[in-house]
Amino acid sequence: MPDYDPNNIFAKIIRGELPCHKIYEDDRALVFLDIMPRAPGHALVIPKSPARNLLDVNPDDLAHVAKVAQRVARAGMKVFQADGVTVQQFNENAGGQVVFHLHVHVIPRKEGVPMKPPASEKEKPEVLADQAKKLAEAMQSV
Ligand code: 5GP
């Protein structure tokens, strides 16, 4: 497996070199909206530590990401009045991974509504800003 690349997009977001629509942050994890959501409220949960994916992440950081992802899923259910949540996580090119910093997709789902294909269209910044604000508020009580 290749080494971790500190110049991947999510590493730049962690360092504040690129913007994101932030939902939640603590000392070990960051949560923000996917710019090409597969459904409204599609969030990405990442560790702040430099992990390429599930294969090299420190288990404690992975456990923390899972705990945060559970809260994000609960917040998504609430804010989007969802009927369910899809959680995805891809590893290496063959596993469907495109950005090589570990991330967990948390996607609120409505009954009978299919997800859009990956990377199909960029959501408007104002829509993402509004959704991130609502999810950030909901994170305080889940
Ligand atoms: P994966 O690596 O799990 O296949 O997917 C990477 C995800 O990152 C995709 O869902 C894509 O839409 C998202 N993505 C790619 N570039 C950016 C970016 O600059 N900002 C944000 N917020 N999401 C991104």
Side-chain angles (χ1 to χ4, degrees), residues 21-34:
H21 293 281
K22 187 164 80 177
I23 294 167
Y24 174 83
E25 180 173 19
D26 62 28
D27 57 336
R28 280 186 291 164
L30 178 64
V31 186
F32 50 93
L33 285 172
D34 197 299

Side-chain angles (χ1 to χ4, degrees), residues 21 33 122-134:
H21 293 281
L33 285 172
K122 273 193 181 175
E123 184 53 278
K124 295 181 199 71
E126 60 270 26
V127 171
L128 294 178
D130 179 60
Q131 293 174 347
K133 187 168 173 277
K134 288 177 179 155

Side-chain angles (χ1 to χ4, degrees), residues 9-10 32-36 44 90 96-99 103 105:
I9 296 170
F10 295 167
F32 50 93
L33 285 172
D34 197 299
I35 44 164
M36 291 174 277
L44 300 171
F90 305 115
Q97 186 174 13
V98 175
V99 177
H103 52 281
H105 298 258

Side-chain angles (χ1 to χ4, degrees), residues 18-81:
L18 287 175
C20 71
H21 293 281
K22 187 164 80 177
I23 294 167
Y24 174 83
E25 180 173 19
D26 62 28
D27 57 336
R28 280 186 291 164
L30 178 64
V31 186
F32 50 93
L33 285 172
D34 197 299
I35 44 164
M36 291 174 277
R38 300 191 62 188
H42 179 169
L44 300 171
V45 183
I46 69 173
K48 287 187 172 174
S49 60
R52 189 170 158 90
N53 54 43
L54 182 75
L55 301 168
D56 65 338
V57 66
N58 171 299
D60 291 339
D61 291 331
L62 177 63
H64 186 67
V65 163
K67 285 182 188 174
V68 173
Q70 183 187 41
R71 290 179 59 201
V72 175
R74 289 174 174 160
M77 287 290 287
K78 208 166 160 178
V79 169
F80 294 92
Q81 288 152 1

